[in-house]
Amino acid sequence: MAMILYKKVSFSFEEKDYDIKVFYDDKTINIVAFRNNYPANGLRHQIKISKSIPIEEILKQKVINELIEICKKDISEKRWERLTAIK
């Protein structure tokens, strides 16, 4: 089953435009930052759900918006750049 786009939140940082996209299928939710329709970095926030829990109910939870904010902070705090700055 292909992942379905549930929500897209746009924001800008350092004069660059980003989209945080929330995708889901019957047992997984992925929250990913995109720039120019490509993943902005290697970070993903993923939720694995038991099939006994309706995913539509999970998507309505406040924690989804909290994870979107974390995804934005991944960009603004340059977490990927710090992670990959191996010396």
Side-chain angles (χ1 to χ4, degrees), residues 56-72:
E56 295 80 13
E57 294 303 314
I58 299 297
L59 288 166
K60 294 176 189 174
Q61 299 297 314
K62 182 181 175 190
V63 72
I64 299 299
N65 290 328
E66 293 171 11
L67 289 168
I68 289 170
E69 291 305 311
I70 290 170
C71 211
K72 287 181 184 179

Side-chain angles (χ1 to χ4, degrees), residues 10-59:
S10 299
F11 79 106
S12 295
F13 175 70
E14 293 183 340
E15 299 181 16
K16 296 177 184 168
D17 296 325
Y18 296 90
D19 293 315
I20 307 301
K21 297 181 181 181
V22 180
F23 296 98
Y24 72 98
D25 62 19
D26 61 343
K27 59 186 174 191
T28 306
I29 299 170
N30 284 304
I31 303 168
V32 184
F34 283 82
R35 184 162 178 265
N36 297 325
N37 287 322
Y38 291 97
N41 56 42
L43 300 173
R44 307 285 181 274
H45 298 278
Q46 185 176 77
I47 303 165
K48 291 288 198 178
I49 310 274
S50 164
K51 284 192 175 192
S52 64
I53 302 171
I55 201 128
E56 295 80 13
E57 294 303 314
I58 299 297
L59 288 166

Side-chain angles (χ1 to χ4, degrees), residues 6 8 18 21 40 79 86:
Y6 171 72
K8 179 172 83 167
Y18 296 90
K21 297 181 181 181
R79 290 181 178 143
I86 299 168

